[in-house]
Amino acid sequence: MGKTTYKRLKGSQSFRQRLLLSTLSSTPIIIDEIRADDMIPGLLRHEMSLLRLFDTVSDDCVVEVNETGTRLKYKPGIIMGGKNLVHNCALTRSMGYYLEPLLLLGLFGKKPLSIRLRGVTDDPKDPSVDTFRNASLHILKRFGVPSEGLDLKIEARGVAPEGGGEVLLTVPNVQTLTAVQWVEEGMVKRIRGWTFSARVSSDFEHSMRFAARGIFNNLLPDVHIFNDHKSGPQAGKSPGYGITLVAETIEGCYISADTTVSCGRTDETGEVDEEKQERKPAEDTGVEIASWLLQEIEKGGVVDSTHQGLLFILCALCQQDVSKVRVGPLSPYGVETLRNLKEFLGVTFSFRPDPSTATVVLTCVGSGLVNLSRKLS
């Protein structure tokens, strides 16, 4: 064994992607100056939780963090996958934060992955679990991921701040991903929605559904919004409600928009949280998300702006063949992803703006990542 050479990085930005790409490309990394000048320096709770998650699904990975948490040394191991794994997510971020890297790690594992995540299922910051189930998984199927064994079951809802939700994710293994030519968005043929309410009245859901349908019904006939009212242990520990909308086009693109409203709790002194006083009515939430979905559709592209990062990573991990995809205006997260892919996998994308539709066509040659650890049947 020779001496391990580490790739040196600085700062706390795109921590999750750096870990993911480091693991997939087997590149050991050292990250210095993680929030060194902040009031609370070092890694945050959800970042430590993410490190533990990577440790759970892989074997032989080495993690060293200094006392203040401002320096991380990470040497990736072999992605094992496996059944009956459990991970308790930190409650500062919802499961959407952990699910995106997990999907990609699971594909390149030694065994199919089956993991139970516990914590906050929905929050306004990350994509909701409904978005993952009804939009993100379809994107993976485009790249040749088999649909059997690819599933996300929502067993209990959990809203911030207390969480208490639970989902079961299963991901099959692949040998390689297939390159895609995916530039046609097509017209929207149907809109599906999912609302949920936990520990609050189901009237919130009716208001959101009524308001969202009021906008869509003028535009297309096939609109259906399902409701999911949870009570008892399945409702988690905090009250809240949320809505996820997904538009499906004739070309098989899935465009999504979602949000969650966490109903503020009264603290021990009996004072109401500020958030509770400022909360807007549920109808407004329905209208807002319906309008946001229409904006995402208007921007064009085969995925919405929250899924750009996932799409680019999948293109870069494909076999050594040309992938071509169309997206709307690049989101900051998408741009960050492109930079990280160049740094870790050496994959550069070429851009061709399309002024007539205000979209961008990106082309790249995949890095040809092969799953060497998978047992060949």
Side-chain angles (χ1 to χ4, degrees), residues 4-23:
T4 315
T5 49
Y6 285 87
K7 184 187 264 298
R8 290 184 167 273
L9 303 162
K10 279 185 180 179
S12 60
Q13 69 277 17
S14 57
F15 176 77
R16 181 173 65 145
Q17 263 184 11
R18 285 170 166 181
L19 270 191
L20 172 67
L21 294 172
S22 150
T23 310

Side-chain angles (χ1 to χ4, degrees), residues 10-165:
K10 279 185 180 179
S12 60
Q13 69 277 17
S14 57
F15 176 77
R16 181 173 65 145
Q17 263 184 11
R18 285 170 166 181
L19 270 191
L20 172 67
L21 294 172
S22 150
T23 310
L24 290 172
S25 62
S26 307
T27 316
I29 54 172
I30 291 178
I31 306 181
D32 288 307
E33 297 176 26
I34 303 173
R35 300 193 183 83
D37 303 333
D38 284 22
M39 277 275 287
I40 304 169
L43 293 167
L44 299 174
R45 291 226 311 263
H46 54 263
E47 293 169 337
M48 289 304 291
S49 179
L50 189 69
L51 278 167
R52 276 186 220 104
L53 177 61
F54 274 62
D55 193 33
T56 307
V57 296
S58 56
D59 198 7
D60 206 24
C61 82
V62 183
V63 179
E64 291 172 22
V65 182
N66 68 354
E67 280 177 29
T68 51
T70 52
R71 184 172 194 266
L72 164 75
K73 194 171 173 184
Y74 174 73
K75 184 174 173 232
I78 299 162
I79 309 165
M80 294 302 282
K83 285 195 183 78
N84 306 329
L85 302 175
V86 177
H87 179 70
N88 293 319
C89 305
L91 301 176
T92 42
R93 289 292 283 265
S94 79
M95 287 176 189
Y97 178 78
Y98 305 91
L99 281 169
E100 190 177 305
L102 254 187
L103 284 176
L104 295 158
L105 286 179
L107 294 175
F108 292 95
K110 192 168 182 178
K111 297 177 189 147
L113 176 70
S114 163
I115 185 166
R116 198 173 282 281
L117 298 178
R118 298 193 176 119
V120 176
T121 53
D122 304 82
D123 77 353
K125 208 171 187 176
D126 298 294
S128 70
V129 283
D130 286 307
T131 301
F132 268 91
R133 199 180 63 189
N134 302 301
S136 313
L137 297 184
H138 290 294
I139 296 174
L140 290 187
K141 289 175 193 170
R142 275 271 167 169
F143 289 83
V145 177
S147 44
E148 56 189 276
L150 183 65
D151 191 27
L152 181 66
K153 284 195 182 79
I154 303 166
E155 300 192 345
R157 290 279 176 186
V159 186
E162 300 283 317

Side-chain angles (χ1 to χ4, degrees), residues 154-173:
I154 303 166
E155 300 192 345
R157 290 279 176 186
V159 186
E162 300 283 317
E166 191 169 306
V167 300
L168 177 65
L169 174 74
T170 52
V171 184
N173 298 138

Side-chain angles (χ1 to χ4, degrees), residues 1 10 29 56 62 95 133 164 191 199 213 217 223 230 260 262 303 319 326 340 360-361 366 370 374:
M1 287 293 285
K10 279 185 180 179
I29 54 172
T56 307
V62 183
M95 287 176 189
R133 199 180 63 189
I191 289 178
R199 296 191 171 272
R213 290 199 57 136
N217 282 353
V223 180
K230 293 272 195 246
T260 301
S262 148
V303 296
Q319 65 214 46
R326 180 192 298 274
N340 291 332
V360 187
V361 176
V370 179
R374 189 179 86 151

Side-chain angles (χ1 to χ4, degrees), residues 225-240:
I225 302 179
F226 304 90
N227 62 333
D228 175 22
H229 177 64
K230 293 272 195 246
S231 58
Q234 288 189 319
K237 298 173 184 169
S238 298

